[in-house]
Amino acid sequence: MIEKVLAIETSCDDTSVAIVDRSGWVHSVVAASQDLEHELYGGIVPEIAARNHSIALIPLIEEAFKKAGMSWKDVQGIAVTNRPGLIGALIVGLVTAKSLAQAKKLPFLGVNHLEGHLLAPFLRDAQYAPPEDFDYPYVGLAISGGHTSLYQIRGLGDYRVLGATKDDAAGECFDKFAKMAGLGFPGGVRIDQMAKTGNPEAFEFPRSMIHDETFDMSFSGLKSAGQRMIEQLGPELVQEQLPDLCASFQEAIVDVLLAKLDRAAKVFKAKRVILTGGVSANSRLRARAQEWADKKGLSLVIPPIRYCTDNAAMIGYAGILRLNAGEVSSLDLGPSPQALATDFR
Ligand code: KG4
Ligand code: ZN
């Protein structure tokens, strides 16, 4: 039985390392954000992300051990994100994990990043634990800069995709609108802040596919509507009405996400639902989701923000469960920009 793993996450722009045990306890999780470097370009530059991972990763591994008060003799395996993600960024984490696995004679496993997000509610530390009765099955909405998908999670490795965005991810939509409105990158958190004093009904934005019978979503129409609105108003009015603009734009995204979550909870008679991924840090979404869950008598789990955004702890937990189920990757494992067909049903 593997008690603890070292976990590495480099699929996008955050370098993260964690030490996690098989109960989900996070002994340490450390990260290096690259936001400042990418802000210069208004979005993530894949080559810069990969280069920064290669600079940050080894020192972070040392830091993760130090923070946990542990050393290599305390871990029995290595988990690493190998899909989906930016290929150059994934390579850095994967090559490092393979080299360390070989040098330290440890088994290693390539993990699907989204599985990490979906299992994040099970993580625990001194400040967070899932509700005592939290267990499979549950419905999960994974919302980030790269993904917006709804799943039914029935057990380890048993994830059914119910629907997904047909075009832009919700986080991407937040980030693009923020950029157009002059709020910088990454924009989600800035829109969230700005929206707090705004009126969500001040501007009318489209809610594409909200009444559609599927669990799919679309945010590109909203993004274009946002762009048109900003062009029509001009820079001065945009500045003046920024809180109202942000609140109205944010409300359109939250409305769509909650409508789809509500439909999924109903159709699959869910008792438990989770929100995960960077966008679940959004304060308006969290408040309205809680209100909705209370009204419907559902148990809603939103992991703390440190486990919602990209982090290695969630990768470690998914990895240790699978390693203990007998899975192991071979040294010729490659990275993949997409999930594997076998990852989901
Ligand atoms: O999961 P994540 O850290 O990385 C990806 O896998 O993409 O998600 C990042 C996304 C970004 O688009 C960011 O703007 C968004 O999450 N985000 C937010 C908030 N905090 C982060 N979006 C809306 N409101 C927030 N408070
Ligand atoms: Zn993610």
Side-chain angles (χ1 to χ4, degrees), residues 323-344:
L323 282 162
N324 277 331
E327 281 183 50
V328 61
S329 295
S330 73
L331 286 172
D332 59 8
L333 178 77
S336 165
Q338 269 104 37
L340 302 177
T342 48
D343 284 342
F344 300 109

Side-chain angles (χ1 to χ4, degrees), residues 8 23 26 28 58 75 105-106 112-113 117 125 162 173 177 225 254 276 318 333 343:
I8 297 173
S23 73
V26 182
S28 66
I58 298 292
V75 297
K105 300 195 169 37
L106 292 174
N112 176 340
H113 177 84
H117 276 305
D125 59 27
L162 306 179
C173 194
F177 185 72
V254 172
T276 184
L333 178 77
D343 284 342

Side-chain angles (χ1 to χ4, degrees), residues 28-269:
S28 66
V29 58
V30 292
S33 164
Q34 308 178 5
D35 284 351
L36 290 177
E37 273 116 313
H38 298 287
E39 181 166 14
L40 283 174
Y41 304 93
I44 294 165
V45 184
E47 289 80 3
I48 293 178
R51 193 187 64 204
N52 284 332
H53 287 313
S54 68
I55 295 169
L57 189 50
I58 298 292
L60 278 180
I61 293 172
E62 285 164 8
E63 197 186 328
F65 275 124
K66 201 167 155 201
K67 231 176 144 182
M70 292 178 184
S71 66
W72 277 105
K73 67 177 174 10
D74 297 301
V75 297
Q76 299 85 42
I78 299 176
V80 59
T81 307
N82 82 312
R83 64 190 189 277
L86 302 171
I87 206 79
L90 288 167
I91 285 172
V92 177
L94 184 57
V95 166
T96 307
K98 283 188 200 178
S99 312
L100 290 169
Q102 217 174 8
K104 305 290 178 188
K105 300 195 169 37
L106 292 174
F108 93 99
L109 189 75
V111 173
N112 176 340
H113 177 84
L114 285 159
E115 177 174 42
H117 276 305
L118 295 180
L119 300 183
F122 287 108
L123 292 172
R124 48 188 76 227
D125 59 27
Q127 282 83 42
Y128 167 77
E132 256 173 40
D133 62 349
F134 184 72
D135 206 347
Y136 310 111
Y138 50 93
V139 162
L141 180 60
I143 351 161
S144 72
H147 305 276
T148 304
S149 314
L150 252 176
Y151 303 89
Q152 190 191 22
I153 297 97
R154 295 184 288 199
L156 177 68
D158 189 353
Y159 318 117
R160 179 169 166 192
V161 183
L162 306 179
T165 179
K166 293 281 181 205
D167 36 60
D168 296 336
E172 190 183 350
C173 194
F174 270 120
D175 293 339
K176 295 258 167 71
F177 185 72
K179 188 178 172 187
M180 293 184 283
L183 286 169
F185 172 88
V189 64
R190 297 177 194 178
I191 291 183
D192 190 348
Q193 280 304 321
M194 197 52 83
K196 284 188 201 300
T197 55
N199 171 10
E201 287 167 14
F203 292 92
E204 219 171 284
F205 285 112
R207 280 129 172 99
S208 309
M209 297 182 79
I210 195 167
H211 300 300
D212 178 283
E213 291 284 304
T214 70
F215 300 107
D216 290 332
M217 295 159 262
S218 163
F219 295 103
S220 67
L222 174 62
K223 189 180 69 183
S224 308
Q227 183 172 12
R228 276 198 304 278
M229 191 71 82
I230 283 172
E231 282 165 7
Q232 270 166 21
L233 289 170
E236 266 172 40
L237 280 179
V238 166
Q239 271 312 308
E240 213 171 274
Q241 305 194 36
L242 213 42
D244 283 352
L245 268 172
C246 289
S248 304
F249 190 82
Q250 172 178 272
E251 204 70 5
I253 295 183
V254 172
D255 277 349
V256 172
L257 294 174
L258 288 183
K260 296 294 172 173
L261 191 58
D262 181 58
R263 180 188 294 276
K266 227 182 267 162
V267 170
F268 295 96
K269 299 187 174 54

Side-chain angles (χ1 to χ4, degrees), residues 301-323:
V301 182
I302 313 176
I305 291 170
R306 61 186 173 283
Y307 299 141
C308 274
T309 53
D310 286 354
N311 69 88
M314 65 186 193
I315 302 304
Y317 185 60
I320 200 166
L321 293 184
R322 285 182 175 273
L323 282 162

